[in-house]
C-alpha cells in the first residue's frame, strides 16, 4: 500500500515557471513543425499545414490532459498502477494485430484510430514510471536486495521485448536507461545495477550485429562520408543544416535542408532545422529551457510529500532528460543515428500528449508537497532595510561595549 503523508485536499499553488517553459517549448514546436514539415506536407499530402494540424490536435488534447492531471491527486495513479501498466502492455501488443497496427518504414509502432494514431511505446514509458515509482515507494525495505528489484526488472524486460519486436531499438534503449535510473534513484545497490547493465550492453551489441541495417548505421556514424548517399546521408545533411546556421541562423522558415534533403526534418531531426534557422544561440536557448524544466522537476521531486511522489517526479525528469540528450546527441553526430523525437517540439501527437500529461502530474506533486518545500522554489533575498538596521544595532552595541570597557579601565587605574 502507498501511504499518504499529506491529505489529498491539501493543495498549494501551481508551478507557474514550469508551465510557462512547457508552453514556450510547445509553441516553438508548432512553429518548427510548420517550418520543417511544410514542404513535405504539401508534396506528400497536398497540404503544407498537414503536420501542423496534427500537432495542434496533440496540443489541444495535451493541454486538456495536463490541466486535468494537475488537478487530480497523483496518489490515484499509485492505486491504479496495475491498470495503467496493463493498458501500456496491451497497447504494445495490439500493435502486432493486422489491420490495427500500422506498418511504416518496416516497423509496427502505431495504432490506427479514426482521427489520429497512437505510438504505444510513448504510453508505455509513462506506465513504467508509475509502476516503478509505486512499487519502490511501497517496498523501500526490499530494494537493497536483488530479489526485491526483480519485479521492476521483469516489467521493464517485458516492455523492452515488446518494443524491440516492433522493431524500435532507440525506444528500447531509452526504456532500459529509464529502468536503471529508476532503480538507482530508488536505492538499488550498485553491484545489482551492474548485474543488469552488463547483460543489457551485451544484448545491445548482439542486436546490432544480427541486423545488417543497424551495423551499417554504426559504420556510418564512424565515417558518414564512407556512404554519403546511403546510411551516412541523414547525418551528413544534419551537419549541413547545423553548419549553415552559424551563430544566429538563416532566419525562421528559411531552412534549405527541409526541401527533401534532410529526412524526418519535422520529427527526429527537427533540432537540426532549429540549428539552421535559429543558429547556435537558438539551440542553446532550447537546451537551457530543457535544463530549466528538468531542474524544476527535480526540485519538485525533492519537495514531494512521500517516496512515491518523489520517484514519480524524478522518473518524469529522467525520461525527459534521456530523450533530449539522445536526440541532440544523434543530430550532432555524438552517437550512432537512431529515431527518437525531441520532447514537446518534434511532430507527433501521442508523444506530445503523454509528455504534457506528465507535466500535469509534476504539477500535482508540487501542489501537494510539504509547505516547507516552497523554500526550494523561491530565492530568499535579504531585506536591505532590516540588514542596515541590524548592522547599525550591532555597531551601536559594539560602541557601548567599547565605552564600558574604557570606563572600567579608567576606574581600575
Amino acid at each position: 500500500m502507498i501511504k499518504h503523508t499529506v491529505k489529498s485536499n491539501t493543495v498549494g499553488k501551481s508551478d507557474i515557471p514550469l508551465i510557462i517553459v512547457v508552453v514556450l517549448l510547445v509553441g516553438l514546436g508548432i512553429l518548427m513543425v510548420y517550418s520543417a514539415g511544410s514542404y513535405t506536407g504539401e508534396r506528400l499530402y497536398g497540404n503544407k499545414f498537414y503536420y501542423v494540424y496534427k500537432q495542434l490536435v496533440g496540443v489541444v488534447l495535451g493541454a486538456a490532459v495536463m490541466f486535468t492531471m494537475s488537478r487530480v491527486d497523483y496518489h490515484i495513479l499509485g492505486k491504479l498502477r496495475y491498470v495503467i501498466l496493463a493498458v501500456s502492455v496491451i497497447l504494445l501488443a495490439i500493435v502486432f494485430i493486422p489491420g490495427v497496427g500500422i506498418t511504416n518504414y518496416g516497423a509496427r509502432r502505431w495504432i490506427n484510430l479514426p482521427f489520429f494514431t497512437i505510438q504505444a511505446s510513448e504510453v508505455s514509458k509513462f506506465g513504467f514510471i508509475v509502476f516503478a515509482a509505486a512499487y519502490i515507494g511501497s517496498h523501500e525495505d526490499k530494494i537493497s536486495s536483488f530479489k526485491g528489484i526483480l519485479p521492476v526488472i521483469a516489467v521493464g524486460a517485458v516492455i523492452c521485448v515488446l518494443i524491440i519486436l516492433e522493431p524500435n531499438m532507440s525506444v528500447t534503449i531509452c526504456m532500459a536507461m529509464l529502468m536503471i535510473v529508476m532503480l538507482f534513484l530508488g536505492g538499488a545497490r550498485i553491484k545489482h545495477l551492474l548485474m543488469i547493465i552488463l547483460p543489457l550492453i551485451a544484448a545491445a551489441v548482439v542486436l546490432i550485429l544480427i541486423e545488417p541495417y543497424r551495423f551499417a548505421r554504426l559504420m556510418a556514424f564512424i565515417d558518414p562520408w564512407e556512404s554519403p548517399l546511403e546510411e551516412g546521408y541523414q547525418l551528413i545533411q544534419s551537419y549541413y543544416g547545423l553548419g549553415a546556421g552559424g551563430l544566429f541562423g538563416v532566419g525562421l522558415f528559411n531552412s534549405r535542408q527541409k526541401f527533401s534533403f534532410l529526412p524526418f526534418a519535422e520529427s527526429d531531426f527537427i533540432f537540426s532545422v532549429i540549428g539552421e534557422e535559429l543558429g547556435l544561440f537558438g539551440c542553446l536557448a532550447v537546451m537551457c529551457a530543457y535544463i530549466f524544466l528538468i531542474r524544476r522537476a527535480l526540485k519538485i521531486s525533492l519537495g514531494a510529500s512521500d517516496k512515491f511522489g518523489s520517484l514519480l517526479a524524478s522518473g518524469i525528469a529522467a525520461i525527459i532528460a534521456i530523450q533530449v540528450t539522445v536526440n541532440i546527441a544523434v543530430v550532432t553526430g555524438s552517437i550512432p543515428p537512431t529515431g527518437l523525437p525531441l520532447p514537446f517540439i518534434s511532430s507527433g501527437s501521442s508523444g506530445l500528449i503523454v509528455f504534457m500529461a506528465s507535466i500535469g502530474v509534476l504539477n500535482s506533486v508540487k501542489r501537494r508537497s510539504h509547505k516547507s518545500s516552497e523554500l526550494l522554489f523561491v530565492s530568499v533575498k535579504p531585506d536591505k532595510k532590516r540588514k542596515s538596521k541590524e548592522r547599525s544595532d550591532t555597531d551601536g552595541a559594539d560602541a557601548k561595549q567599547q565605552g564600558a570597557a574604557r570606563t572600567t579601565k579608567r576606574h581600575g587605574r
Side-chain angles (χ1 to χ4, degrees), residues 259-279:
F259 294 109
S260 295
F261 293 107
L262 179 64
F264 305 109
E266 74 286 346
S267 55
D268 298 340
F269 277 76
I270 198 167
F271 192 75
S272 180
V273 179
I274 292 174
E276 184 181 6
E277 295 189 348
L278 304 181

Side-chain angles (χ1 to χ4, degrees), residues 89-102:
V89 174
I90 290 171
L91 288 176
L92 287 173
I94 288 176
V95 167
F96 300 100
I97 299 177
V100 179
I102 300 175

Side-chain angles (χ1 to χ4, degrees), residues 281-399:
F281 290 119
C283 289
L284 291 176
V286 172
M287 293 169 69
C288 286
Y290 280 120
I291 291 172
F292 178 86
L293 191 157
I294 294 165
R295 183 172 177 267
R296 203 76 184 176
L298 292 175
K299 279 189 174 183
I300 292 173
S301 173
L302 290 173
S305 62
D306 54 19
K307 187 75 170 180
F308 172 60
S310 178
L311 287 171
L312 193 60
S314 56
I316 293 170
I319 192 59
I320 294 173
I322 290 170
Q323 283 208 203
V324 170
T325 302
V326 172
N327 180 276
I328 294 177
V330 167
V331 169
T332 56
S334 303
I335 61 174
T338 185
L340 202 63
L342 192 62
F344 306 105
I345 293 180
S346 289
S347 174
S349 299
S350 54
L352 182 59
I353 293 170
V354 170
F355 274 109
M356 292 184 74
S358 69
I359 297 301
V361 174
L362 278 177
N363 198 32
S364 177
V365 176
K366 163 65 170 59
R367 296 179 70 220
R368 290 162 179 83
S369 59
H370 291 299
K371 289 184 178 180
S372 59
S373 68
E374 290 295 328
L375 294 174
L376 293 169
F377 301 90
V378 295
S379 55
V380 181
K381 297 181 180 180
D383 191 334
K384 292 183 179 180
K385 292 183 179 179
R386 181 181 298 175
K387 190 173 181 181
S388 177
K389 183 179 179 182
E390 288 176 354
R391 185 181 299 149
S392 62
D393 291 343
T394 303
D395 292 342
D398 291 342

Side-chain angles (χ1 to χ4, degrees), residues 61-341:
L61 294 177
V65 177
M66 182 174 71
F67 177 81
T68 301
M69 294 307 299
S70 68
R71 291 293 183 271
V72 173
D73 187 351
Y74 68 91
H75 292 103
I76 293 176
L77 296 176
K79 294 179 179 179
L80 298 176
R81 59 188 179 276
Y82 294 115
V83 175
I84 295 172
L85 179 61
V87 170
S88 301
V89 174
I90 290 171
L91 288 176
L92 287 173
I94 288 176
V95 167
F96 300 100
I97 299 177
V100 179
I102 300 175
T103 302
N104 204 357
Y105 299 102
R108 283 182 171 270
R109 303 176 185 175
W110 299 269
I111 299 173
N112 191 19
L113 293 177
F115 298 103
F116 61 96
T117 59
I118 291 179
Q119 189 169 355
S121 58
E122 294 290 343
V123 180
S124 67
K125 287 180 289 188
F126 181 72
F128 175 78
I129 290 173
V130 172
F131 169 79
Y135 175 81
I136 297 172
S138 57
H139 297 83
E140 293 183 65
D141 54 331
K142 299 180 180 179
I143 301 303
S144 59
S145 67
F146 188 76
K147 184 179 179 181
I149 62 175
L150 279 178
V152 178
I153 298 173
V155 169
V158 169
I159 293 176
C160 285
V161 169
L162 289 172
I163 294 175
I164 197 64
L165 289 175
E166 293 179 350
N168 192 337
M169 187 168 180
S170 57
V171 178
T172 304
I173 294 173
C174 182
M175 266 298 309
M177 293 173 66
L178 176 63
M179 180 178 66
I180 298 298
V181 171
M182 290 295 290
L183 288 173
F184 174 76
L185 294 174
R189 294 185 177 182
I190 299 299
K191 65 178 182 179
H192 294 155
L193 294 178
L194 290 175
M195 292 170 63
I196 306 169
I197 294 172
L198 295 178
L200 286 175
I201 294 174
V205 172
V206 171
L207 289 171
I208 291 173
L209 294 178
I210 64 175
E211 285 289 351
Y213 79 91
R214 289 178 186 148
F215 184 75
R217 282 186 178 183
L218 179 60
M219 293 298 100
F221 162 69
I222 296 172
D223 184 9
W225 280 272
E226 186 69 25
S227 55
L229 298 179
E230 296 178 1
E231 293 298 334
Y233 177 80
Q234 193 172 28
L235 185 54
I236 291 174
Q237 297 304 317
S238 179
Y239 286 156
Y240 287 158
L242 292 171
L247 292 177
F248 302 101
V250 297
L252 191 61
F253 308 133
N254 291 329
S255 167
R256 293 183 289 272
Q257 293 303 106
K258 66 184 179 184
F259 294 109
S260 295
F261 293 107
L262 179 64
F264 305 109
E266 74 286 346
S267 55
D268 298 340
F269 277 76
I270 198 167
F271 192 75
S272 180
V273 179
I274 292 174
E276 184 181 6
E277 295 189 348
L278 304 181
L280 175 62
F281 290 119
C283 289
L284 291 176
V286 172
M287 293 169 69
C288 286
Y290 280 120
I291 291 172
F292 178 86
L293 191 157
I294 294 165
R295 183 172 177 267
R296 203 76 184 176
L298 292 175
K299 279 189 174 183
I300 292 173
S301 173
L302 290 173
S305 62
D306 54 19
K307 187 75 170 180
F308 172 60
S310 178
L311 287 171
L312 193 60
S314 56
I316 293 170
I319 192 59
I320 294 173
I322 290 170
Q323 283 208 203
V324 170
T325 302
V326 172
N327 180 276
I328 294 177
V330 167
V331 169
T332 56
S334 303
I335 61 174
T338 185
L340 202 63

